[in-house]
Amino acid sequence: STDLTSTVGYDSIIQHLNDGRKNCKEFEDFLKERAIIEEKYGKELINLSKKKPCGQTELNTLKRSLDVFKQQVDNVGQGHIQLAQILREEAKKMEDFREKQKLHRKKIELIMEAIHKNRNLQYKKTMEVKQTCCCFLPYGALLYRSSLSHFWQLFLKLAQTKSALEDSDRSYQQSVTTLEKIREEWQKEHIKACEFFETQECERINYFRNALWLHVNQLSQDCVQNDEKYEEIRKSLELCSIEKDIDFFVNLRKTGSLAPAPVVYENYYNTQRNATPVRSPVPVPISR
């Protein structure tokens, strides 16, 4: 700004930096909330795999597939809990980065606040001295317009103020010189502060971008790991054999390989009429 005492540009930079810090805090809170969700989801999956029956009376290969299924569901739950811990660690890193930038920026802000205050005080002082010098100028003009009766009175007063006028003028010159030195110092510090703030903003954007990139990679990795666990289930199901399970059940529960013999009539009432009993047929093995 052309106004020496204005801080509108500086204030705009500080506001932007504070907004950036707020954005980092929002992402940090997002990670924390996501961690809570992941941990809760993981625990629910683990409880589901351990407590909920899922084909508990199945046999042989299908039973093994179901065991693998429940174990991998448990592993997926563990993976979500591990992801929750990773997200908390990333949120802590973002918090540390944010607080580190705040601490470093605060030092520069204190320097700029002090130099702004000094600059404004010197500017105010210079303007007051300038105003004092201007107040003496009417006496010279008034001297020419005055009547003779007042001439000596004004001349005496002018003589009395001449020394004060010269002192004020010297003070005014010194104030302007001092203000110029302060202005040059402020301008140098302002440029240095802007360069520092720009560097910080570049670091913040780069850190924020990388943090978001890392977060997406972590989610992708979690999906890949989950797919690997689900692949174990698919491999187990490929080994599941309907024929083997049927044979396994038959061998486990079989009661024999012969069918029951036909029931033969035996005459206990009149043994003379049917002296020769009818023989039972030989049992024939039953094929599957």
Side-chain angles (χ1 to χ4, degrees), residues 74-89:
D74 184 279
N75 292 340
V76 170
Q78 296 289 351
H80 282 282
I81 292 177
Q82 293 174 5
L83 177 60
Q85 182 59 32
I86 292 174
L87 295 180
R88 290 191 179 95
E89 292 173 358

Side-chain angles (χ1 to χ4, degrees), residues 54-265:
C54 184
Q56 60 182 348
T57 61
E58 285 295 344
L59 303 172
N60 205 33
T61 62
L62 182 57
K63 175 177 173 54
R64 287 196 294 270
S65 295
L66 289 172
D67 291 341
V68 173
F69 167 70
K70 295 192 69 176
Q71 181 59 51
Q72 295 305 327
V73 170
D74 184 279
N75 292 340
V76 170
Q78 296 289 351
H80 282 282
I81 292 177
Q82 293 174 5
L83 177 60
Q85 182 59 32
I86 292 174
L87 295 180
R88 290 191 179 95
E89 292 173 358
E90 292 303 318
K92 184 63 171 61
K93 291 178 182 178
M94 177 63 78
E95 180 183 5
D96 293 341
F97 171 79
R98 181 171 51 83
E99 291 300 319
K100 181 180 179 181
Q101 277 210 330
K102 176 185 176 182
L103 181 63
H104 290 175
R105 188 166 70 243
K106 190 64 177 177
K107 297 177 182 178
I108 303 299
E109 290 183 31
L110 290 175
I111 293 174
M112 294 303 296
E113 287 175 6
I115 203 167
H116 285 163
K117 183 178 180 181
N118 187 31
R119 179 198 63 185
N120 293 346
L121 288 175
Q122 184 61 35
Y123 180 81
K124 181 180 179 181
K125 179 181 178 181
T126 301
M127 293 300 101
E128 289 174 350
V129 174
K130 179 181 179 181
Q131 186 65 29
T132 301
C133 291
C134 292
C135 291
F136 289 110
L137 295 180
Y139 284 106
L142 186 61
L143 185 62
Y144 291 98
R145 297 196 301 268
S146 301
S147 62
L148 186 61
S149 60
H150 295 97
F151 177 82
W152 292 107
Q153 181 179 358
L154 292 175
F155 184 82
L156 178 62
K157 193 167 187 179
L158 181 60
Q160 292 174 346
T161 59
K162 182 180 180 181
S163 177
L165 178 60
E166 292 174 350
D167 292 341
S168 296
D169 185 64
R170 284 193 298 270
S171 178
Y172 175 46
Q173 291 181 22
Q174 292 174 357
S175 293
V176 171
T177 302
T178 303
L179 178 59
E180 177 59 19
K181 291 181 179 179
I182 292 176
R183 188 196 67 81
E184 292 177 353
E185 181 186 2
W186 158 75
Q187 186 167 298
K188 291 178 181 179
E189 291 297 329
H190 181 78
I191 293 173
K192 288 168 59 179
C194 287
E195 291 173 347
F196 174 81
F197 293 150
E198 182 177 357
T199 300
Q200 269 210 333
E201 183 65 0
C202 291
E203 291 177 351
R204 187 193 68 83
I205 294 175
N206 183 62
Y207 190 91
F208 200 160
R209 181 191 62 180
N210 291 343
L212 188 57
W213 196 304
L214 177 62
H215 176 60
V216 174
N217 285 346
Q218 289 166 346
L219 297 179
S220 296
Q221 182 64 27
D222 183 62
C223 291
V224 171
Q225 292 174 351
N226 286 345
D227 188 65
E228 291 174 354
K229 298 178 179 70
Y230 298 141
E231 180 63 20
E232 292 298 319
I233 300 174
R234 288 189 287 266
K235 290 179 180 179
S236 176
L237 290 173
E238 289 176 351
L239 298 177
C240 179
S241 170
I242 299 175
E243 292 79 6
K244 288 182 180 180
D245 286 2
I246 296 297
D247 287 341
F248 182 85
F249 170 74
V250 170
N251 293 328
L252 180 68
R253 301 298 184 186
K254 66 182 179 180
T255 57
S257 59
L258 300 177
V263 177
V264 178
Y265 170 74

Side-chain angles (χ1 to χ4, degrees), residues 21-36:
R21 181 170 177 270
K22 178 182 177 183
N23 293 336
C24 290
K25 180 64 166 60
E26 290 175 352
F27 181 65
E28 174 191 326
D29 292 339
F30 180 91
L31 291 179
K32 291 179 179 178
E33 289 295 325
R34 179 66 186 265
I36 293 174

